[in-house]
């Protein structure tokens, strides 16, 4: 019987290299308790691969240990003198870049000629140990604390490292001077730095903003993401400012939790923090992991509980509320203005007049209505039909649907308005210029704002989305088949079975005919009726 091999794990006939993560480092490794690397089903092959796999896992734990910022045992993460010098050189230039971005005028201080002379003497070996300690001793001690070296003052190794740090400091100073003149092309010239083996203990920098840009490009290629880009750009910028770094590989679960808590402390609503801030960064980092830009998503397991929003009434309009809104909209006349700059566009006026009625009697989303074009209406076997299509703009399901028009829409003259309109969009001006935002969404917002300012929208109801709730409620009261209601409104099928077969225009027409008219004329009293 073969003995147990350290760090080798057998699970269901497959072998893994396995290392347990120390408790204090788990927050730097996405909260994991252990790391594993698959080695395959063959034990002999797994044993051959084990040493290198364990070394790679130990490397990941070592990087997490360094990120913790806690003192480590001397020499735990050894680097050569050249690598330490290269690290110091890179850190000095990174600090210079950060200072310039923050607006610090370090260049105005000037170069200390005495220090430059001492650095050159240090490189030449002309300084005593005490003089070298004054010049670079604190830096040597820092790298001792980081576990990169065990050198002690008075030894040849200490003096050699001190001279290497003098090289790094002098070279970095040269780059800073070049940057003051606008030259950012300089590279280290001294052989100690130029020939140093690259330090592999840090992952390459991956821009958070760059990942967001790539993610948005992919969404836009699928005609999605415009709304997300508008909402999330400021969120990504805020995270980069808070983390003081644009490097996604430096994000940790701890840092993201601190960011979340800071947002809550700034009086942002918990649901906003959860549904906008956390959702944005989780989506971007998940995409980055799926596309091999990152190894893991530190935001993945961050949870946030949000109390359910208090609901004091139905989400849709009551019949009386709906009638009040429809009376206001159908009677709408744009305010007179002799100034072309302030005069309301006729398309905007038409949206205020007709959009609420179309929403009320089709259950459509407001932006699906405000993006309608003249060519989206037709007669089919005598039935007036409205087509909601991605060709006109955004459709959540990305699928077209045909909706027969309710008789009340026809009787109130909407088709006459359509027939009298020019080809193209009905509710916003046609233009050959590329819009900076979705014009249909802009018009939908104006309709919403107008209704709210008019005081006809009750608290707790969305001025536009409330119609979808109302339509569903009315449809159920009329005992319309739920599947047909969903097909009219563009809701996804509830079961796989519901996705079989088609809901025809004839079936939708029968259902629409069961939706009652809104009584928009005030009822006359008995005395008025007799007169």
């Amino acid at each position: 019987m073969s003995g147990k091999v350290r760090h080798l794990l057998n699970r269901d006939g497959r072998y893994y290299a396995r290392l347990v993560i120390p408790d204090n480092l788990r927050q730097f490794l996405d909260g994991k308790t252990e790391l594993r690397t698959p080695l395959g089903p063959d034990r002999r092959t797994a044993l051959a691969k084990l040493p290198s796999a364990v070394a790679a896992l130990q490397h990941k734990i070592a990087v997490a240990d360094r990120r913790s910022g806690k003192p480590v045992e001397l020499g735990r993460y050894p680097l050569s003198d050249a690598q330490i010098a290269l690290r110091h050189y890179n850190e000095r230039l990174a600090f210079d870049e950060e200072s310039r971005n923050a607006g610090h005028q370090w260049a105005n201080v000037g170069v200390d000629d005495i220090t430059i002379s001492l650095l050159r003497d240090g490189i030449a070996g002309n300084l005593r140990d005490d003089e070298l300690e004054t010049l670079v001793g604190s830096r040597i001690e820092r790298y001792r604390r980081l576990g990169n070296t065990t050198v002690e003052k008075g030894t040849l190794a200490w003096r050699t490292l001190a001279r290497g740090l003098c090289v790094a400091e002098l070279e970095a100073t040269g780059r800073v001077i070049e940057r003051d003149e606008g030259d950012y092309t300089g590279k280290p010239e001294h052989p100690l730095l130029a020939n140093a083996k690259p330090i592999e203990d840090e992952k390459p920098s991956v821009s958070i903003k760059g990942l967001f840009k790539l993610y948005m490009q992919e969404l836009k290629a699928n005609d999605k993401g415009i709304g997300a880009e508008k909402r999330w750009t400021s969120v990504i910028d805020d995270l980069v400012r808070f983390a003081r770094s644009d490097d996604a590989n430096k994000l940790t679960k701890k840092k993201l939790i601190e960011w979340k808590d800071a947002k809550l402390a700034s009086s942002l609503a918990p649901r906003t923090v959860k549904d906008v801030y956390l959702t944005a960064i989780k989506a971007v980092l998940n995409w980055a992991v799926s596309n091999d830009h990152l190894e893991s998503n530190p935001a993945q397991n961050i949870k946030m509980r949000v109390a359910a929003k208090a609901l004091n009434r139905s989400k849709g309009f009551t019949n009386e509320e709906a009638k009040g809104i429809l009376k206001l909209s159908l009677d709408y006349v744009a305010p007179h203005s002799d100034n072309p700059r302030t005069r309301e566009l006729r398309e905007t006026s038409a949206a205020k007049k007709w959009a609420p009625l179309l929403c009320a009697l089709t259950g459509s989303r407001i932006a699906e209505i405000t993006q309608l074009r003249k060519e989206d209406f037709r007669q089919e076997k005598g039935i007036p039909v409205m087509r909601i299509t991605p060709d006109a703009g955004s459709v959540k399901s990305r699928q077209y649907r045909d909706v027969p028009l309710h008789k009340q829409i026809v009787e109130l003259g909407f088709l006459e308005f359509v027939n009298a309109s020019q080809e193209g969009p009905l509710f916003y001006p046609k233009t050959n210029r590329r819009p900076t935002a979705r014009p249909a969404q802009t018009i939908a917002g104006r309709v919403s704002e107008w209704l709210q300012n008019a005081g006809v929208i009750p608290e707790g109801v969305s001025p536009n989305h409330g119609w979808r709730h109302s339509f569903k409620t009315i449809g159920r009261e009329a005992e319309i088949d739920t599947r047909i209601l969903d097909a009219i409104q563009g809701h996804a099928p509830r079961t796989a079975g519901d996705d079989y077969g088609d809901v025809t225009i004839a079936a939708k027409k029968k259902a629409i005919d069961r939706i009652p008219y809104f009584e928009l004329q005030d009822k006359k009293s008995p005395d008025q009726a007799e007169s």
Side-chain angles (χ1 to χ4, degrees):
M1 178 178 174
S2 59
K4 185 174 182 181
V5 179
R6 192 179 183 208
H7 302 312
L8 183 66
L9 177 69
N10 185 334
R11 281 288 179 270
D12 300 323
R14 302 194 69 84
Y15 291 93
Y16 300 84
R18 172 181 176 268
L19 259 69
V20 175
I21 302 171
D23 290 346
N24 64 313
L25 299 182
R26 290 174 183 175
Q27 62 178 313
F28 302 102
L29 289 164
D30 303 327
K32 296 177 182 177
T33 59
E34 62 178 41
L35 295 176
R36 292 187 187 182
T37 297
L39 303 175
D42 181 69
R43 179 180 173 84
R44 187 184 298 274
T45 302
L47 288 172
K49 292 180 178 179
L50 183 63
S52 60
V54 169
L57 296 180
Q58 288 172 334
H59 170 71
K60 289 184 178 182
I61 293 177
V63 171
D65 203 354
R66 277 192 287 280
R67 287 180 180 174
S68 71
K70 296 180 180 180
V72 297
E73 62 184 86
L74 291 179
R76 184 170 182 181
Y77 311 114
L79 296 176
S80 68
D81 291 345
Q83 287 177 318
I84 292 175
L86 181 61
R87 167 169 280 180
H88 178 67
Y89 172 85
N90 290 332
E91 288 175 348
R92 279 279 282 108
L93 293 188
F95 176 73
D96 174 74
E97 182 67 17
E98 182 179 342
S99 299
R100 293 175 193 269
N101 289 338
H104 297 158
Q105 301 300 316
W106 297 107
N108 293 339
V109 176
V111 178
D112 185 347
D113 292 336
I114 296 176
T115 301
I116 295 295
S117 178
L118 287 171
L119 289 171
R120 286 174 175 159
D121 285 341
I123 295 169
N126 295 331
L127 297 182
R128 299 186 305 275
D129 285 359
D130 288 343
E131 292 173 316
L132 282 172
E133 184 175 35
T134 301
L135 199 59
V136 296
S138 63
R139 291 158 192 152
I140 293 177
E141 188 57 34
R142 176 175 180 269
Y143 293 115
R144 279 170 53 87
R145 291 196 304 270
L146 290 173
N148 299 145
T149 183
T150 59
V151 298
E152 296 183 3
K153 184 183 175 183
T155 65
L156 178 61
W158 183 92
R159 189 172 178 84
T160 302
L161 178 56
R163 292 180 59 218
L165 288 173
C166 287
V167 169
E169 185 68 21
L170 185 63
E171 284 267 7
T173 301
R175 299 295 88 73
V176 170
I177 293 172
E178 292 168 359
R179 290 178 175 189
D180 290 343
E181 300 298 325
D183 181 6
Y184 279 71
T185 62
K187 302 292 183 183
E189 299 173 356
H190 195 285
L192 181 73
L193 301 178
N195 300 328
K197 183 180 179 181
I199 303 169
E200 299 177 353
D201 62 346
E202 297 291 347
K203 297 175 184 176
S205 177
V206 178
S207 169
I208 300 171
K209 292 183 179 180
L211 291 176
F212 178 63
K213 183 178 180 180
L214 291 172
Y215 178 53
M216 287 296 112
Q217 286 176 353
E218 184 169 303
L219 289 183
K220 289 178 182 178
N222 290 283
D223 295 326
K224 294 183 177 182
I226 292 180
E229 184 175 37
K230 184 177 180 180
R231 291 192 307 272
W232 291 359
T233 297
S234 61
V235 172
I236 299 300
D237 290 343
D238 185 85
L239 174 60
V240 170
R241 284 194 301 270
F242 182 86
R244 297 184 179 180
S245 172
D246 186 37
D247 187 357
N249 270 323
K250 292 183 178 178
L251 285 178
T252 63
K253 184 177 181 180
K254 181 175 182 291
K255 178 62 69 175
L256 289 169
I257 290 174
E258 290 173 353
W259 176 57
K260 175 202 69 169
D261 292 342
K263 294 296 99 184
L264 290 172
S266 69
S267 301
L268 275 178
R271 186 160 295 279
T272 299
V273 176
K274 180 177 184 287
D275 292 348
V276 180
Y277 283 74
L278 286 180
T279 296
I281 193 62
K282 284 183 178 182
V284 173
L285 296 184
N286 275 336
W287 176 87
V289 171
S290 298
N291 288 272
D292 291 336
H293 294 290
L294 296 175
E295 291 182 6
S296 61
N297 178 1
Q300 183 65 46
N301 295 318
I302 296 178
K303 306 295 182 183
M304 183 176 170
R305 292 187 178 182
V306 177
K309 189 175 181 181
L311 190 63
N312 298 313
R313 54 154 298 149
S314 64
K315 295 180 180 180
F317 300 110
T318 66
N319 190 51
E320 290 302 314
E321 290 165 348
K323 288 193 294 184
I325 296 169
L326 295 177
K327 285 180 181 179
L328 175 71
S329 63
L330 290 168
D331 291 340
Y332 180 74
V333 177
H336 176 74
S337 174
D338 293 325
N339 186 347
R341 292 179 177 272
T342 60
R343 188 181 305 146
E344 185 173 83
L345 295 173
R346 60 182 178 82
E347 292 88 356
T348 302
S349 301
K352 292 178 179 179
K353 180 181 180 70
W354 295 113
L357 180 68
L358 291 168
C359 286
L361 290 172
T362 68
S364 301
R365 300 171 181 89
I366 180 67
E368 293 175 337
I369 296 300
T370 54
Q371 71 191 20
L372 286 169
R373 306 161 301 175
K374 183 175 182 176
E375 54 265 39
D376 295 327
F377 293 87
R378 71 181 192 280
Q379 295 279 336
E380 184 166 319
K381 297 180 180 180
I383 301 172
V385 177
M386 172 180 78
R387 171 160 289 189
I388 306 291
T389 171
D391 288 342
S394 175
V395 179
K396 190 172 182 179
S397 66
R398 296 179 57 77
Q399 297 181 358
Y400 84 90
R401 69 181 187 276
D402 288 328
V403 182
L405 292 183
H406 191 279
K407 291 180 180 178
Q408 189 170 19
I409 295 175
V410 178
E411 291 173 7
L412 287 169
F414 175 69
L415 288 181
E416 283 83 351
F417 159 73
V418 173
N419 292 332
S421 298
Q422 297 179 348
E423 292 296 321
L426 298 173
F427 300 120
Y428 61 86
K430 187 176 183 180
T431 178
N432 293 325
R433 292 182 300 175
R434 183 181 179 89
T436 57
R438 283 202 176 108
Q441 197 66 51
T442 301
I443 295 300
R446 289 176 183 169
V447 173
S448 170
E449 183 180 13
W450 168 64
L451 292 173
Q452 287 176 317
N453 291 338
V456 294
I457 304 299
E459 185 177 352
V461 181
S462 165
N464 292 326
H465 208 68
W467 292 116
R468 284 175 67 75
H469 291 284
S470 298
F471 185 85
K472 190 76 79 176
T473 299
I474 294 170
R476 287 169 180 154
E477 290 177 347
E479 298 182 349
I480 298 173
D481 183 275
T482 299
R483 188 191 175 197
I484 297 177
L485 279 176
D486 287 343
I488 292 171
Q489 291 191 269
H491 281 138
R494 296 160 191 255
T495 67
D498 282 348
D499 206 21
Y500 281 78
D502 295 323
V503 179
T504 63
I505 289 177
K508 293 176 184 176
K509 177 68 167 77
K510 291 178 182 178
I512 288 287
D513 285 346
R514 296 172 71 175
I515 300 292
Y517 279 56
F518 287 100
E519 295 179 2
L520 301 179
Q521 300 295 327
D522 293 330
K523 291 183 178 180
K524 295 182 179 181
S525 66
D527 294 338
Q528 291 174 319
E530 290 177 3
S531 64

